Amino acid sequence: MPLFISIITSFPTVIFTVLLSVAVLYWLVSLSGLVDSDVVEGDVGEGGSLALGGLLATLGLHGVPLPLVITLLALTGWLFSYFAMLLLGTHLTPGLLLWVFNSVVLILGFVVATIVTSFLIRPLRPLFRPAQHLPIEQRLTGKQCTVRSAEVTKEKGRADAHIDGDHLILQVRSDSALVRGERAIIIQYLLTEDAYWVVSEKDFEAGLAD
């Protein structure tokens, strides 16, 4: 028991111990109903959240709630780090070699945790992402996009959009002229033109405020 406590409270395992403890605390509080557990991965917001969604998709960690991803990362990283220290680290004498070994274990812990977690969540995605079965046109409705072309009019225009970590270039149309770099909200899909009707983000927010 003293060896177990020593390992889980020492570098590098202590980092995973803290992450795992926070994850367990989150689930306990979530089960109590005090917080909203309906938190999904990177596509829940704008800006940094889109970047997070892209990173998670690249690592194969998308499609399930973010707390679940963090929990699995912390658990698998903790197990790898604990047994690496138990089987090898305890046989090393304190010094430079042990410090290098600990650093390598920490890095490998995150790498192994990422790989294992990406495999574990694959069969879970259908349980959390029923919307993924919706046509892309419906899933884009209400999403933000950024004007890519010089302008957007009723006849022409293009915009960049992100969904599930993917970058899409869309044909868009708008009542009011939009310029490059301006943000807009996708309102509906125009089947006959294979394009999307958009309104400027400012007009959209003003409409919600009215």
Side-chain angles (χ1 to χ4, degrees):
M1 192 65 170
L3 179 60
F4 173 78
I5 299 298
S6 176
I7 293 177
I8 68 173
T9 57
S10 301
F11 179 80
T13 312
V14 66
I15 295 178
F16 295 104
T17 299
V18 171
L19 290 176
L20 188 57
S21 299
V22 172
V24 171
L25 180 62
Y26 168 85
W27 289 115
L28 291 175
V29 175
S30 179
L31 289 173
S32 72
L34 297 179
V35 299
D36 181 8
S37 61
D38 188 21
V39 180
V40 295
E41 39 72 49
D43 60 353
V44 297
E46 304 171 359
S49 294
L50 290 175
L52 175 60
L55 176 61
L56 291 174
T58 300
L59 296 176
L61 303 177
H62 61 292
V64 299
L66 183 58
L68 178 58
V69 173
I70 295 175
T71 301
L72 291 175
L73 285 173
L75 177 60
T76 51
W78 184 88
L79 289 172
F80 175 85
S81 179
Y82 174 78
F83 284 106
M85 296 304 297
L86 177 66
L87 299 176
L88 299 174
T90 54
H91 300 292
L92 299 176
T93 57
L96 179 60
L97 181 60
L98 180 59
W99 184 86
V100 172
F101 176 79
N102 291 344
S103 300
V104 171
V105 168
L106 177 63
I107 295 173
L108 287 179
F110 279 109
V111 172
V112 171
T114 300
I115 295 174
V116 173
T117 300
S118 68
F119 280 101
L120 291 176
I121 66 176
R122 286 180 182 178
L124 301 178
R125 287 186 186 128
L127 301 177
F128 294 99
R129 299 300 299 274
Q132 209 156 18
H133 299 292
L134 293 175
I136 186 68
E137 294 82 10
Q138 293 184 36
R139 292 163 57 201
L140 281 170
T141 301
K143 296 288 186 179
Q144 183 194 84
C145 63
T146 304
V147 175
R148 178 186 183 93
S149 55
E151 64 176 355
V152 174
T153 65
K154 293 181 180 180
E155 291 77 30
K156 63 180 181 179
R158 289 182 299 163
D160 295 311
H162 294 81
I163 184 170
D164 299 337
D166 296 326
H167 173 214
L168 306 176
I169 300 176
L170 309 174
Q171 293 292 329
V172 294
R173 305 289 184 265
S174 177
D175 261 333
S176 56
L178 306 177
V179 298
R180 180 182 286 117
E182 190 170 352
R183 292 182 177 180
I185 303 299
I186 300 172
I187 301 301
Q188 69 179 96
Y189 177 64
L190 305 174
L191 182 61
T192 57
E193 299 184 44
D194 190 24
Y196 294 84
W197 193 261
V198 301
V199 298
S200 70
E201 187 177 52
K202 292 181 180 178
D203 290 344
F204 182 79
E205 292 176 351
L208 290 179
D210 291 340

